[in-house]
Amino acid sequence: MASTPGRIRPWRYLAAFAGIVVVLYSLVFFTGDGRPSPKLGIDLQGGTRVTLTARTESGAAPPRDQLIQAQQIIEQRVNGLGVSGAEVVLDGNNLTITVPGAQGDQARSLGQTAQLRFRPVVGDPVPVIPATAPAAGATSNAPAAPPTGQSTAPAPAGSQPQGLAGDATSQKVAPVAYSTPLQNPAPPPSPAPTPDAGANPAPADPAVAAAIAQARATRQSTDPTVQQQALAALDCKANDPLRGYDDPALPLVACNQDGTEKYVLGPTIIEGTQIASAQATTNQNGAGYVVDLTFKNPGAGIWGDYTSKNIGKQAAFVLDGEVVSAPQIQGALYGVTQVSGNFNQARAQELASVLRYGSLPLSFDSNEAQTVSATLGLASLDAGLIAGAIGLALVFVYCLFYYRALGVLTILSLALSGVVVYAVLVLLGRWIGFTLDLAGVAGFIVAIGITADSFVIFFERLKDEMREGRSFRSAVPRGWVRARRTILSADAVSFLASAVLYILAVGQVKGFAFTLGMSTVLDLVVVFLVTHPLVALASNSRVFGSPAWSGLGSVAKIGAARRRATAAASKGA
C-alpha cells in the first residue's frame, strides 16, 4: 500500500534535531575558551577606543583620499562580515577605532601598515641580550656577529623532515651564505605619499624626515661594515622610524616581532601585494597555528622559482619592518606557503586578516586605549528585552487560547528554537567575531513573529483538511504537504529581504539583517524537525487528539456534518 504523502516517522526527525543540539553544545563547551556566552556589542558591554594618528615621511598632512582608503581597509580588517559591531570613524587626520570589550591591543594592531615583504636572511640571526650592569672588570662574552653573508653557526642537531609542497617550518637553522644579485629583481620602492594639492599641509616635521633618512643610511646600507654597526646599535624596544617606509630594493637590518633576535636581510624577493588569499589554520607539523598564503600571478611564479633555487636557505616574512618568521625553505613552493611564528589562534587570524585585506597607504601611531561605557546600551537592552518578553507572552496567550494543545506545541517549538539560536550565537562569536547588539536583539524579536507565522500556516491548513471531513490523524500529513510550500515561500522571501538589506546596509543595520536572516533559516529547521513531528505525534495521541484538547473541535464538527451530508447524498443517488 502506498504511504500517504506527508506521513513521516516523527521520532527520526526529533532524534535528528536532538543530534544537532548535542553537536552545537559540544562545540560550545569543548571548543574555544569554553565560556557559554555570546559576544556582546559596544552598546551592550562597552568597548575600547583607540585613536590612530597618520604620519607621513615628510611630516605633511596626509591626503584625504588616502585617509578614506585607510579607513575602508581597517573597517574590512576589523569588521569583514559586518557583524562584529566595531566602528571606524575618520576625524580630521585621525582614525578612531572602537571595538567591543577590553581589546585595546587588538584595536592598536589594526592600524599596522601591513606591508608584508619576503626577504632572504643574510648570515645568522643575532640574539638580543638583555641589558644588565656588568660587574667591575667583567668582559662581555657575547659572540661576535658573523660577517655579512657568512654563517659561522654549526648545523642544527636535527631538522624536521621535508613536508608537503608549500610547507615551511619556523625552526631556526644556519643559512648558507647569501649572494647577490637575486634571481628575481625586487620591485622598485613605492613613492612616498604626497599631500593633496588643494589641502593645506601642516609644516613638515624635520625630526621625522631626519629619523627616516638616518635609519635608511645605516640599517639599509649596502656596506657590510655599516650593516654590522647598525645591527649592534639597533634597539628592538624602540619605535621604528622605518615602519612602513623601508626601501624594498635595499637590504634591511631588522628585529623579529618578539624583540629577541636581530636579522640582516637582503632586498625584497616578492611583495605582499602579490598575495591572493590568507587563511589561519592549525599547524599540521606541530602545536599552534599558521597562516596559509596563496599568490597571484606573476608572484606565484617568482616565489616558486626563488624557493626552488634556494632550498636549505632561510627566507624572512617581514611585516612592517619586523620579522614575523624566518623559516627554512624545504622545497619549491609553487602552491600554498605557510607563515609560521608560534602563533596562537587569535594572532594567526589577526595576521591573516591584515594580509587578506591589503596594506594601508599610510603609517599610523596609536595612543593609549580608552574604555567606552555601555550605560545607555544596557538601559536600551532592558527596554528591548521587556518589549520582547511582552510580545512573546502575547504570542503564547494567543496560541493557548486559540489552538490549545497545538499552542503548547508552539511554545515548546519556540523554546527549542531559542536553545539552538543561543548556541549558534556563541559559536558565531568565536568563528566570525559576531557580536550581539541592540540591532541584533531587534532582529531576533522580529524573527519570533516569522516563526509563529509558520506555525499558524500549518495549523490553519490542518483546519482546512478537517473541514473537508478528514480526521485529525489523516489531516496532518495532507495539511503538511500543502503548508510546507507556503512556509518555504514565505521564509524564502524573508531571507531574500534580509540578504538584500545585509548587502546594501552598513553599520548596525547589517547586524540586524544578519540576525533576521539567520533566524529565518533556523525557523525552517525547527518547523521541519520539531513542529511537524510533534503535531504528528499529537495526532496519534488520544488526549491531544481529542477535539476538546486539540482546539479543533469546531472544525471537527463541520467535517463530521460534511461527511454525513456526503453519505446521505450517496445513499439517495
Side-chain angles (χ1 to χ4, degrees):
M1 179 182 296
S3 60
T4 305
R7 190 173 295 278
I8 61 171
R9 297 182 179 181
W11 290 112
R12 290 187 177 182
Y13 288 80
L14 294 174
F17 180 81
I20 293 174
V21 173
V22 170
V23 170
L24 289 176
Y25 277 90
S26 297
L27 294 174
V28 168
F29 288 105
F30 300 110
T31 63
D33 55 10
R35 291 183 299 177
S37 58
K39 291 184 177 180
L40 300 180
I42 299 172
D43 50 1
L44 299 184
Q45 68 160 336
T48 304
R49 178 177 297 147
V50 173
T51 300
L52 303 178
T53 302
R55 64 185 179 95
T56 60
E57 183 175 356
S58 63
R64 183 73 178 178
D65 59 339
Q66 292 186 0
L67 285 171
I68 295 175
Q69 182 183 359
Q71 178 191 17
Q72 294 172 346
I73 294 175
I74 293 177
E75 282 181 341
Q76 289 177 325
R77 290 179 181 179
V78 70
N79 203 13
L81 294 176
V83 295
S84 70
E87 298 177 352
V88 182
V89 179
L90 179 59
D91 181 14
N93 293 336
N94 299 331
L95 289 176
T96 301
I97 304 174
T98 308
V99 296
Q103 303 173 2
D105 292 337
Q106 176 186 350
R108 279 192 290 268
S109 68
L110 293 168
Q112 63 183 341
T113 312
Q115 289 180 346
L116 181 69
R117 292 180 172 133
F118 297 78
R119 292 176 177 265
V121 176
V122 182
D124 292 328
V126 177
V128 176
I129 301 175
T132 56
T139 58
S140 174
N141 294 323
T148 303
Q150 297 180 8
S151 172
T152 57
S159 59
Q160 292 187 357
Q162 183 167 337
L164 299 174
D167 231 7
T169 69
S170 58
Q171 183 180 4
K172 298 296 184 296
V173 297
V176 281
Y178 165 75
S179 61
T180 56
L182 291 175
Q183 285 79 356
N184 299 291
S190 49
T194 56
D196 263 340
N200 294 321
D205 186 353
V208 174
I212 294 175
Q214 182 181 6
R216 283 180 177 170
T218 55
R219 291 171 51 198
Q220 293 208 271
S221 173
T222 57
D223 186 343
T225 303
V226 177
Q227 289 178 1
Q228 294 303 314
Q229 294 174 349
L231 189 69
L234 179 60
D235 184 2
C236 292
K237 295 182 179 180
N239 291 330
D240 187 2
L242 282 182
R243 181 168 59 89
Y245 293 112
D246 61 295
D247 191 335
L250 296 175
L252 176 66
V253 176
C255 300
N256 64 355
Q257 286 191 322
D258 296 332
T260 57
E261 290 180 323
K262 304 177 186 179
Y263 291 82
V264 177
L265 309 173
T268 299
I269 306 164
I270 184 175
E271 289 279 358
T273 53
Q274 291 294 321
I275 294 174
S277 66
Q279 298 293 333
T281 60
T282 55
N283 189 354
Q284 301 299 323
N285 298 323
Y289 287 78
V290 296
V291 178
D292 290 340
L293 303 178
T294 57
F295 293 97
K296 308 173 186 175
N297 290 323
I302 295 175
W303 179 241
D305 291 342
Y306 176 82
T307 54
S308 66
K309 298 174 182 177
N310 292 274
I311 296 175
K313 300 182 181 181
Q314 282 181 281
F317 305 144
V318 185
L319 181 67
D320 290 347
E322 293 181 333
V323 176
V324 177
S325 177
Q328 181 189 36
I329 299 173
Q330 296 185 336
L333 303 176
Y334 285 98
V336 178
T337 297
Q338 287 186 344
V339 179
S340 55
N342 298 323
F343 300 132
N344 56 22
Q345 182 179 9
R347 178 68 182 112
Q349 290 176 344
E350 175 188 319
L351 177 59
S353 176
V354 297
L355 297 180
R356 183 165 56 247
Y357 294 115
S359 61
L360 299 179
L362 297 166
S363 293
F364 290 90
D365 294 323
S366 61
N367 63 1
E368 292 298 324
Q370 298 177 347
T371 302
V372 180
S373 175
T375 304
L376 295 178
L378 292 176
S380 300
L381 176 63
D382 292 340
L385 292 179
I386 292 174
I390 293 175
L392 190 61
L394 291 176
V395 171
F396 287 172
V397 171
Y398 175 81
C399 289
L400 290 175
F401 176 78
Y402 196 74
Y403 292 113
R404 300 182 187 178
L406 295 181
V408 174
L409 300 184
T410 299
I411 297 172
L412 180 59
S413 298
L414 287 173
L416 294 176
S417 177
V419 170
V420 174
V421 167
Y422 187 85
V424 171
L425 284 178
V426 176
L427 295 176
L428 288 180
R430 297 176 186 173
W431 295 342
I432 65 173
F434 175 84
T435 58
L436 181 63
D437 53 15
L438 290 175
V441 172
F444 286 121
I445 293 175
V446 173
I448 294 175
I450 296 176
T451 304
D453 285 344
S454 300
F455 302 152
V456 171
I457 291 172
F458 184 23
F459 297 159
E460 291 303 317
R461 284 293 186 182
L462 286 179
K463 289 185 175 182
D464 291 341
E465 294 295 328
M466 294 184 67
R467 288 190 185 96
E468 294 179 0
R470 295 183 177 86
S471 64
F472 183 21
R473 183 174 183 179
S474 63
V476 169
R478 296 179 181 274
W480 170 249
V481 170
R482 295 183 178 181
R484 69 185 178 190
R485 298 175 186 173
T486 307
I487 293 173
L488 287 172
S489 299
D491 282 355
V493 172
S494 177
F495 182 81
L496 182 61
S498 302
V500 172
L501 186 61
Y502 176 82
I503 294 172
L504 299 180
V506 294
Q508 293 185 340
V509 180
K510 188 182 286 285
F512 169 81
F514 183 87
T515 55
L516 184 59
M518 181 184 70
S519 301
T520 302
V521 174
L522 296 179
D523 166 49
L524 290 176
V525 173
V526 171
V527 170
F528 276 74
L529 297 184
V530 177
T531 308
H532 177 209
L534 287 178
V535 173
L537 288 175
S539 67
N540 294 323
S541 170
R542 290 185 177 180
V543 176
F544 283 95
S546 66
W549 282 96
S550 65
L552 301 174
S554 59
V555 293
K557 293 179 181 179
I558 296 175
R562 179 167 295 182
R563 286 197 300 271
R564 289 193 297 268
T566 303
S570 60
K571 288 182 180 179

